[in-house]
């Protein structure tokens, strides 16, 4: 019997898009349901009663929440194709560490740049550049964080790349100037169908962010 | 060749206790090195340059950081004894979800109880108890969060029980009165050698927290 896969997400979400990338890497068909986060659906509230957040993957009726937990789940269930985590336990621990680092840092820093006061914005810019430089160092001369192959850390980070234009615009700086290797990596990832078909258009993200800023009374 | 395992830790640390419990569950011998968090050792800074925090597990010279990542690593390397994560991918995702939720919430909630007063403390106490009740619901009638066997979520939560006396004392409330099933679970866990030998005595934790309150000027 064919798997029934449903993804509750929103198109600008870097967390939701991670799941889209993972599903595409595995060549999986699924039903996508766009959620309105200002008017959450009964399905979302039922499937993620604890956090009430997207993304939620519903696999044969059973929900899985938290984006990197979902990505690991996808990797374990459909383990015959495009493995995302390495097999070696130490390398797996390192991959989880860096995905956790992206999770702990990038979203909140990005928020400072886009929707807060000028002072916080400057702090956010500095922190973002530091963070991206550290990640650049971790990438080194590898084509991907996963080494020769696109992997777990690549999935966790690449979906932030469509937000770079927005960070640059509101923060008034160039990520490519500061972190050229990382931007080269984002371009390399975008050559993959699984990534280019899953990420939102950077200009649409910018318009979306502008809309949220107006809603929050920032502009 | 025998494994060389070193744990950089801090006795009252909930996160460190998780590692002690996991290592004990697997029957592993290791060298414990107490760290001074106000005067961090060159070894700690070298082994965890990104976060500069304990716990750090050093296995045959290679460091692993972040407590839930370390526990997963231990579970994967020494997989023949006392498995902590279940075999089924869906159950694994659920275990990771609850461990992640505990990580996101409990430490900060508990800390705020011990470092605040008056109305703010009352709010924190309410949130803390609500959270414990949610966990109690998840436990249900099972002996452990892992079902019949002590598992990943049990490891991530049980160390907090060493702080309960401190929370109750400084918050002036009884956790057992509100969450009797959870307290019963902590007692059940304490019957395990791996847990009782790893958790710091609640009175010592209390004295440590009292010291932190003085340091932060709360008392």
């Amino acid at each position: 019997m064919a798997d029934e896969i449903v993804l509750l997400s929103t198109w600008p979400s870097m967390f939701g898009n991670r799941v889209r990338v993972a599903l595409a890497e595995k060549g999986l068909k699924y039903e996508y349901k766009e959620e309105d986060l200002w008017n959450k659906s009964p399905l979302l509230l039922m499937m993620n009663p604890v956090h009430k957040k997207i993304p939620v993957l519903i696999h044969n009726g059973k929900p899985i929440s938290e984006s990197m937990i979902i990505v690991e789940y996808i990797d374990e269930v459909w383990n015959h194709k495009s493995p995302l985590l390495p097999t070696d336990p130490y390398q797996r621990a390192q991959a989880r560490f860096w995905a956790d680092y992206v999770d702990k840092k990038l979203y909140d820093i990005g928020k400072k740049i886009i929707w807060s006061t000028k002072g916080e914005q400057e702090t956010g810019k500095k922190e973002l550049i530091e963070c991206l430089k550290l990640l650049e160092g971790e990438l080194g001369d590898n084509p991907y964080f996963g080494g020769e192959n696109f992997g777990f850390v690549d999935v966790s980070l690449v979906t932030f790349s469509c937000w770079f234009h927005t960070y640059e615009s509101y923060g008034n700086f160039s990520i490519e100037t500061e972190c050229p290797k990382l931007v080269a990596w984002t371009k390399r990832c975008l050559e993959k169908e699984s990534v280019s078909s899953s990420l939102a258009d950077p200009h649409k993200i910018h318009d979306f962010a502008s809309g949220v800023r107006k809603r929050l009374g920032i502009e | 060749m025998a494994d060389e395992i070193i744990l950089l830790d801090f006795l009252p640390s909930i996160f460190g206790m998780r590692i002690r419990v996991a290592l004990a569950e697997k029957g592993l011998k290791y060298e414990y090195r107490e760290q001074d968090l106000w005067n961090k050792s060159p070894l700690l800074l070298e082994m965890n340059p990104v976060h500069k925090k304990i716990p750090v597990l050093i296995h045959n010279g290679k460091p692993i950081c972040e407590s839930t990542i370390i526990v997963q690593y231990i579970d994967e390397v020494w997989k023949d004894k006392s498995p902590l994560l279940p075999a089924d991918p869906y159950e694994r995702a659920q275990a990771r979800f609850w461990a992640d939720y505990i990580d996101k919430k409990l430490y900060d909630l508990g800390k705020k109880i011990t470092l605040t007063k008056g109305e703010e403390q009352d709010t924190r106490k309410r949130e803390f108890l609500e959270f414990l009740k949610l966990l109690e619901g998840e436990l249900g009638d099972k002996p452990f969060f892992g079902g019949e066997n002590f598992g990943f979520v049990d490891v991530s939560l049980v160390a907090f029980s060493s702080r309960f006396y401190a929370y109750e004392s400084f918050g002036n409330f009884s956790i057992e009165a509100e969450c009797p099933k959870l307290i019963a679970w902590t007692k059940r866990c304490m019957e395990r050698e791996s847990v009782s030998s790893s958790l710091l005595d609640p009175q010592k934790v209390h004295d440590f927290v009292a010291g932190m309150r003085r340091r932060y000027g709360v008392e």
Side-chain angles (χ1 to χ4, degrees):
Chain A
M1 201 179 96
D3 282 302
E4 188 202 49
I5 306 171
V6 179
L7 173 62
L8 309 183
S9 189
T10 60
W11 67 267
S13 166
M14 46 295 254
F15 304 104
N17 289 341
R18 287 166 165 177
V19 180
R20 296 180 66 181
V21 171
L23 290 167
E25 279 287 303
K26 301 289 184 176
L28 295 165
K29 288 200 182 349
Y30 62 97
E31 182 190 347
Y32 177 88
K33 289 197 185 184
E34 182 73 16
E35 284 286 331
D36 176 356
L37 298 184
W38 282 276
N39 186 18
K40 292 174 181 179
S41 72
L43 182 64
L44 174 57
L45 298 176
M46 181 174 110
M47 290 291 157
N48 191 358
V50 171
H51 297 304
K52 306 177 176 49
K53 288 182 173 181
I54 58 89
V56 181
L57 189 79
I58 311 172
H59 182 207
N60 295 332
K62 301 202 291 192
I64 305 102
S65 307
E66 294 302 301
S67 62
M68 293 319 289
I69 292 175
I70 299 172
V71 171
E72 239 183 301
Y73 173 80
I74 289 168
D75 201 37
E76 287 179 4
V77 174
W78 292 281
N79 55 10
H80 56 289
K81 180 181 177 169
S82 302
L84 297 171
L85 272 170
T87 47
D88 173 71
Y90 186 75
Q91 287 177 8
R92 290 160 73 83
Q94 296 314 298
R96 287 180 180 128
F97 175 86
W98 287 105
D100 176 70
Y101 177 75
V102 172
D103 262 355
K104 279 181 158 83
K105 296 278 192 182
L106 228 50
Y107 183 75
D108 286 339
I109 294 173
K111 258 167 74 170
K112 279 186 198 173
I113 299 173
I114 301 173
W115 15 81
S116 62
T117 63
K118 202 131 182 53
E120 270 220 304
Q121 231 179 18
E122 281 307 304
T123 309
K125 242 165 77 177
K126 275 197 209 64
E127 288 176 350
L128 185 73
I129 292 166
E130 250 172 53
C131 192
L132 293 182
K133 282 194 159 130
L134 185 66
L135 288 164
E136 226 183 18
E138 178 57 22
L139 179 66
D141 293 320
N142 294 320
Y144 301 104
F145 285 90
E148 289 304 311
N149 299 310
F150 184 83
F152 193 72
V153 181
D154 301 279
V155 174
S156 73
L157 182 59
V158 76
T159 56
F160 280 84
S161 67
C162 53
W163 281 79
F164 282 3
H165 167 61
T166 303
Y167 297 151
E168 289 171 318
S169 165
Y170 288 113
N172 193 26
F173 69 120
S174 158
I175 293 176
E176 185 155 21
T177 304
E178 302 282 348
C179 306
K181 277 187 160 177
L182 199 73
V183 174
W185 163 83
T186 69
K187 291 176 180 167
R188 191 175 302 124
C189 291
L190 277 162
E191 288 168 8
K192 293 172 75 64
E193 168 79 27
S194 60
V195 176
S196 58
S197 64
S198 303
L199 266 52
D201 177 298
H203 295 282
K204 290 194 170 134
I205 294 279
H206 188 281
D207 293 342
F208 166 79
S210 174
V212 177
R213 279 164 61 97
K214 284 194 188 86
R215 200 178 196 140
L216 296 175
I218 301 170
E219 67 178 60
Chain B
M1 199 178 98
D3 282 302
E4 186 201 50
I5 305 171
I6 298 171
L7 175 62
L8 307 184
D9 195 357
F10 178 64
L11 277 173
S13 164
I14 288 162
F15 305 102
M17 282 179 215
R18 289 169 169 176
I19 313 307
R20 291 174 236 162
V21 171
L23 290 167
E25 280 286 310
K26 302 288 185 177
L28 295 166
K29 288 198 182 349
Y30 64 97
E31 183 190 338
Y32 179 95
R33 290 196 196 173
E34 182 72 357
Q35 300 297 297
D36 177 354
L37 301 184
W38 288 272
N39 186 19
K40 292 177 180 179
S41 70
L43 182 64
L44 174 56
L45 299 175
E46 181 196 319
M47 291 289 151
N48 191 357
V50 173
H51 298 303
K52 305 176 175 53
K53 289 182 173 184
I54 57 90
V56 180
L57 190 79
I58 310 172
H59 181 207
N60 296 333
K62 301 202 292 191
I64 304 102
C65 307
E66 294 301 302
S67 63
T68 46
I69 293 174
I70 299 171
V71 172
Q72 281 189 89
Y73 174 79
I74 290 168
D75 201 37
E76 288 178 9
V77 174
W78 293 281
K79 56 186 187 302
D80 299 323
K81 179 176 177 174
S82 302
L84 296 171
L85 272 170
D88 172 72
Y90 186 75
E91 287 174 34
R92 290 159 74 81
Q94 297 313 298
R96 287 180 179 128
F97 175 86
W98 287 103
D100 175 70
Y101 191 40
I102 289 161
D103 262 357
K104 281 179 159 92
K105 283 280 217 181
L106 211 52
Y107 184 75
D108 283 339
L109 280 178
K111 192 171 162 179
K112 283 177 180 155
I113 293 174
T114 60
L115 296 180
T116 58
K117 288 177 175 168
E119 249 183 70
E120 207 199 326
Q121 198 189 49
D122 288 338
T123 307
R124 302 297 167 210
K125 271 155 58 179
R126 253 195 314 275
E127 289 174 344
F128 177 79
L129 288 169
E130 253 171 49
F131 186 75
L132 289 190
K133 284 183 170 145
L134 184 68
L135 291 172
E136 237 185 6
E138 177 57 21
L139 178 65
D141 293 319
K142 306 191 295 289
F144 300 107
F145 285 89
E148 288 305 310
N149 299 310
F150 185 80
F152 191 69
V153 180
D154 302 280
V155 173
S156 70
L157 183 60
V158 75
F160 282 91
S161 66
S162 64
R163 291 221 171 184
F164 282 179
Y165 171 60
Y167 297 150
E168 290 173 315
S169 167
F170 293 115
N172 192 28
F173 69 123
S174 159
I175 296 173
E176 186 155 19
E178 303 279 346
C179 305
K181 275 187 160 176
L182 202 71
I183 297 298
W185 164 82
T186 69
K187 290 176 180 166
R188 194 175 304 125
C189 290
M190 285 295 283
E191 289 168 7
R192 300 174 76 78
E193 169 80 27
S194 63
V195 176
S196 58
S197 64
S198 302
L199 268 51
L200 187 63
D201 174 70
Q203 185 61 55
K204 292 195 169 124
V205 175
H206 178 280
D207 297 345
F208 164 72
V209 172
M212 294 305 289
R213 281 164 56 93
R214 280 192 292 276
R215 198 180 257 261
Y216 285 111
V218 179
E219 62 178 55

